[in-house]
Amino acid sequence: MTANTSHSTRKRFGQHWLQSEKALAQIVNAAALQPSDRVLEIGPGTGILTRRLLPLAQSVVSVEIDRDLCKLLVKQFGQAENFLLLQGDILSLNLAELLPPAFQNPNKVVANIPYNITGPILELLLGTIAQPNPQPYDSIVLLMQKEVAERITAKPGSKAFGALSVRVQYLADCEWIADVPAKAFQPPPKVDSAVVRLTPRSIDIPANEPRKLETLVKLGFATKRKMLRNNLKSLVDRDRLTELLESMQLNSQVRAEDVSVANWITLSNSLGDTSGDINVDTTET
Ligand code: SAH
């Protein structure tokens, strides 16, 4: 029996083993690994992707939560000098404290992530609008649920363009790399998947008050079908908003999904001139 089949999958860890050579090649190619790259992999599973990363990078740190899988991974790759396996939850480990010098500061992320924690993983890797990751990765290649990939790469004016699109696109260039059908996995997940590449960058004209932008985006998209001016009425006077929208060549009846990231920033920065502090609770529910 191979490692791929001897370990039964654990649903709570979002375990689905990628089997497709094509998809593996698409992930690895999208990472464009150089011999000097230090890679972070999240959820190596049975190591099918790890095996392809190790010969191409200076080092690979893989973080796997499942103890039994870790034993298999150590058996497979324990000899590789450029491999380090950490057993634990990617969301709670402190990598900077745990990594020995040779593995410090990974510059690329390549991973087939557990879909149930996609949002928290994105936030861990990119940070937030108000607190971007101070040490941004050069690139982040992720295999994720297709529906989330669509939202992350959506253009304004499309249905998928939402608060997540603005938050992620504020912090990174987002590229659709490839579709990966459910049948590329064993067991197949209920949803289709896609490979996405995120390239963190600093925005040309950042928000003056990032917290204000976060609040604006949250409220603006709160009720998706409504016009922006209705969603923001607790925040901005209707006439003032119409004036601002017009100065951006936007219709006063525009919806949040039609406003580009650049215009969200302009809107946030313009509001800074007139309104006082926005006292809205922005904690996620
Ligand atoms: N990369 C593998 C497996 C992907 S499935 C492949 O391509 O085949 C997702 C993997 O993430 C599983 O191995 C699961 O055990 C692991 N995982 C789930 N939650 C995790 C967490 N919080 N931290 C680290 N690994 C996690």
Side-chain angles (χ1 to χ4, degrees):
M1 238 192 236
T2 67
N4 265 351
T5 51
S6 61
H7 177 91
S8 59
T9 57
R10 297 206 166 110
K11 226 175 171 179
R12 72 175 190 283
F13 292 147
Q15 295 176 346
H16 297 275
W17 311 135
L18 185 60
Q19 312 271 295
S20 154
E21 282 302 328
K22 185 178 163 195
L24 285 160
Q26 285 165 328
I27 295 170
V28 172
N29 289 341
L33 292 175
Q34 305 297 314
S36 59
D37 282 332
R38 297 170 314 281
V39 174
L40 169 64
E41 184 193 16
I42 301 164
T46 58
I48 198 163
L49 178 60
T50 322
R51 188 175 316 131
R52 285 156 180 82
L53 299 174
L54 280 169
L56 299 174
Q58 183 182 302
S59 61
V60 177
V61 176
S62 300
V63 180
E64 172 57 59
I65 201 168
D66 186 321
R67 269 176 214 280
D68 297 334
L69 286 175
C70 285
K71 285 183 200 145
L72 290 175
L73 289 162
V74 168
K75 259 194 210 150
Q76 268 193 90
F77 307 118
Q79 302 299 319
E81 276 176 17
N82 64 339
F83 179 60
L84 183 79
L85 177 66
L86 294 176
Q87 195 256 310
D89 178 352
I90 185 66
L91 301 178
S92 50
L93 291 185
N94 184 338
L95 290 185
E97 267 177 19
L98 291 169
L99 295 180
F103 293 88
Q104 275 290 342
N105 300 320
N107 66 314
K108 287 187 179 173
V109 180
V110 188
N112 169 10
I113 56 174
Y115 295 175
N116 52 326
I117 52 169
T118 301
I121 287 177
L122 286 172
E123 194 167 319
L124 175 83
L125 300 177
L126 293 172
T128 60
I129 291 176
Q131 280 183 302
N133 183 348
Q135 284 184 299
Y137 293 97
D138 293 335
S139 75
I140 301 169
V141 176
L142 302 177
L143 179 57
M144 61 173 70
Q145 190 174 332
K146 186 173 179 175
E147 185 251 326
V148 182
E150 280 166 355
R151 285 157 60 197
I152 286 176
T153 57
K155 302 246 174 342
S158 70
K159 256 202 184 135
F161 193 79
L164 182 70
S165 323
V166 179
R167 289 198 199 107
V168 173
Q169 291 174 21
Y170 182 84
L171 297 165
D173 285 326
C174 305
E175 296 165 86
W176 186 279
I177 303 293
D179 283 277
V180 178
K183 65 174 194 308
F185 299 83
Q186 194 53 274
K190 288 203 183 77
V191 293
D192 283 328
S193 300
V195 182
V196 166
R197 179 170 52 207
L198 309 177
T199 311
R201 46 129 178 76
S202 38
I203 200 123
D204 296 342
I205 307 169
N208 298 335
E209 292 174 72
R211 278 190 199 290
K212 186 170 283 186
L213 175 59
E214 272 179 349
T215 305
L216 202 62
V217 169
K218 186 177 174 172
L219 288 182
F221 283 100
T223 313
K224 255 201 122 182
R225 307 307 308 160
K226 272 197 192 170
M227 285 182 271
L228 191 62
R229 65 177 188 215
N230 289 332
N231 281 341
L232 295 183
K233 71 174 172 235
S234 63
L235 220 60
V236 205
D237 171 74
R238 190 179 163 134
D239 293 341
R240 171 72 179 137
L241 186 63
T242 302
E243 201 179 294
L244 286 173
L245 291 173
E246 271 167 12
S247 72
M248 290 181 251
Q249 265 94 52
L250 291 172
N251 188 296
S252 64
Q253 302 191 4
V254 78
R255 294 203 186 111
E257 69 208 51
D258 299 317
V259 180
S260 68
V261 175
N263 278 337
W264 278 107
I265 298 167
T266 307
L267 199 59
S268 169
N269 289 352
S270 322
L271 284 178
D273 303 341
T274 53
S275 61
D277 279 344
I278 301 179
N279 285 317
V280 178
D281 182 11
T282 54
T283 45
E284 293 292 334
T285 46

